[in-house]
């Protein structure tokens, strides 16, 4: 199963972090989804029928239920991986935050965050293509906000 492949790619701390992320991101999630993740994290191949049997015991096999559970896990897993990637890139996070503040017309918060970002770029970045692009993006947002 695709879900197993992606779950197996997580190291131990990422697995624990993913389980916390599931509770945080989807607090009303069916308990079977969390139980399925725990089962799928154990080593070994597992068929959908075997997963159903572990989750629901002697109830008759229902492929639709298993597919819905796997879809929920995949959606949360992909969101988790995207979040981890974004959180690792501070410049991208700052840029997204500035765009969101600007889009919400939070002028004071935008200006304060932009100034802090520019100060940080001035003091901590070496001159290179990434630093120049980050500075350009921040200044571009400043100009756009002044034109609005």
């Amino acid at each position: 199963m695709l879900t197993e492949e992606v779950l197996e790619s997580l190291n131990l701390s990422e697995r624990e972090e993913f389980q916390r992320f599931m509770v945080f991101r989807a607090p009303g999630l069916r308990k079977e989804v969390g139980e399925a993740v725990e089962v799928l994290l154990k080593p070994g191949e597992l068929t959908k029928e075997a997963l159903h049997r572990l989750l629901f015991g002697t109830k008759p096999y229902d492929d639709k239920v298993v597919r819905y559970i796997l879809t929920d896990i995949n959606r949360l897993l992909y969101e988790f991986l995207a979040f981890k990637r974004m959180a690792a890139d501070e410049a991208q996070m700052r840029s997204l935050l500035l765009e969101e503040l600007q889009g919400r017309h939070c002028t004071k918060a935008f200006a304060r965050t932009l100034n802090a970002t520019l100060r940080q770029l001035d003091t901590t970045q070496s001159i290179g293509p990434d630093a120049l692009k980050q500075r350009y993006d921040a200044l571009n947002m400043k100009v756009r906000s002044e034109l609005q």
Side-chain angles (χ1 to χ4, degrees):
M1 283 183 274
L2 179 65
T3 308
E4 280 182 300
E5 176 188 11
V6 180
L7 280 171
E8 287 173 3
S9 74
L10 302 177
N11 63 38
L12 184 60
S13 66
E14 289 173 329
R15 289 173 182 208
E16 293 169 356
E17 191 178 348
F18 175 61
Q19 289 177 312
R20 287 190 307 272
F21 178 84
M22 283 186 357
V23 173
F24 164 75
R25 183 68 180 98
L29 202 60
R30 296 176 304 200
K31 70 179 177 82
E32 291 88 8
V33 175
E35 292 171 358
V37 167
E38 289 179 24
V39 168
L40 291 170
L41 285 174
K42 294 178 182 171
E45 288 291 317
L46 194 65
T47 63
K48 289 196 281 185
E49 292 83 3
L51 178 62
H52 187 278
R53 196 171 32 261
L54 287 169
L55 294 176
F56 300 105
T58 59
K59 285 186 180 176
Y61 175 70
D62 187 351
D63 189 63
K64 184 172 78 172
V65 170
V66 175
R67 282 186 288 119
Y68 283 156
I69 289 171
L70 293 174
T71 299
D72 287 346
I73 293 171
N74 280 332
R75 181 181 51 81
L76 286 167
L77 191 53
Y78 292 168
E79 194 173 317
F80 169 73
L81 293 173
F83 175 76
K84 275 192 65 73
R85 177 72 176 114
M86 185 194 66
D89 186 350
E90 249 185 83
Q92 183 183 14
M93 272 189 25
R94 274 195 308 265
S95 178
L96 291 171
L97 174 61
L98 285 168
E99 286 178 17
E100 189 65 24
L101 290 172
Q102 187 178 37
R104 292 175 181 266
H105 306 291
C106 300
T107 53
K108 288 180 182 178
F110 174 79
R112 187 175 303 130
T113 305
L114 178 65
N115 290 334
T117 300
L118 290 172
R119 272 194 312 277
Q120 184 177 10
L121 288 171
D122 286 340
T123 59
T124 61
Q125 292 288 338
S126 62
I127 303 226
D130 290 339
L132 291 173
K133 183 182 180 324
Q134 290 172 19
R135 186 160 181 73
Y136 169 80
D137 290 344
L139 290 171
N140 188 24
M141 279 188 234
K142 182 177 182 177
V143 168
R144 281 188 291 163
S145 72
E146 291 171 355
L147 292 175
Q148 288 180 346

